Amino acid sequence: MKAILISYDQAFHERIIEILTHLNCRGFTRFEQVQGRGSKTGDPHYGSHAWPAMCSAIITVVDDDRVDPVLDALNAMDKQTEQLGLRAFVWNIEKSAW
């Protein structure tokens, strides 16, 4: 099992849900309003007067074979509108309690 943390501009939300649904990644937790700034490009997302945009984040735990299709779909979406900002990070899940 792997965890995928997806941090994204709120404008991407519906498209990300569509990707997860299409790839049978049913379970996830959403953090509706998070703030951040990309490490290389993109505008800050601070929810302030100067930088009014906000980010959201989703964490989903998936089988190993679903990671690459999810990352590929997210990467393709990000390349269409890079300035909005989207990043995904993956790490191993050692144990779960369900």
Side-chain angles (χ1 to χ4, degrees), residues 2-8 16 20 25-31 56-62 89-91 93:
K2 304 283 186 189
I4 305 173
L5 174 66
I6 309 164
S7 178
Y8 58 92
I16 289 173
L20 294 176
C25 301
R26 178 166 165 71
F28 66 86
T29 298
R30 177 183 180 207
F31 304 93
S56 291
I58 286 179
I59 188 167
T60 184
V61 177
V62 300
F89 307 91
V90 179
W91 63 92
I93 298 300

Side-chain angles (χ1 to χ4, degrees), residues 18-37:
E18 288 174 11
I19 288 169
L20 294 176
T21 300
H22 177 73
L23 296 173
N24 297 315
C25 301
R26 178 166 165 71
F28 66 86
T29 298
R30 177 183 180 207
F31 304 93
E32 187 173 351
Q33 291 191 351
V34 296
Q35 298 178 7
R37 179 181 67 194

Side-chain angles (χ1 to χ4, degrees), residues 32-81:
E32 187 173 351
Q33 291 191 351
V34 296
Q35 298 178 7
R37 179 181 67 194
S39 57
K40 296 180 182 172
T41 62
D43 293 332
H45 290 71
Y46 295 152
S48 67
H49 293 293
W51 301 103
M54 287 294 291
C55 291
S56 291
I58 286 179
I59 188 167
T60 184
V61 177
V62 300
D63 291 327
D64 291 11
D65 64 333
R66 297 194 194 271
V67 172
D68 286 339
V70 170
L71 294 182
D72 291 345
L74 294 173
N75 188 42
M77 186 174 64
D78 181 48
K79 287 189 182 293
Q80 293 173 356
T81 49

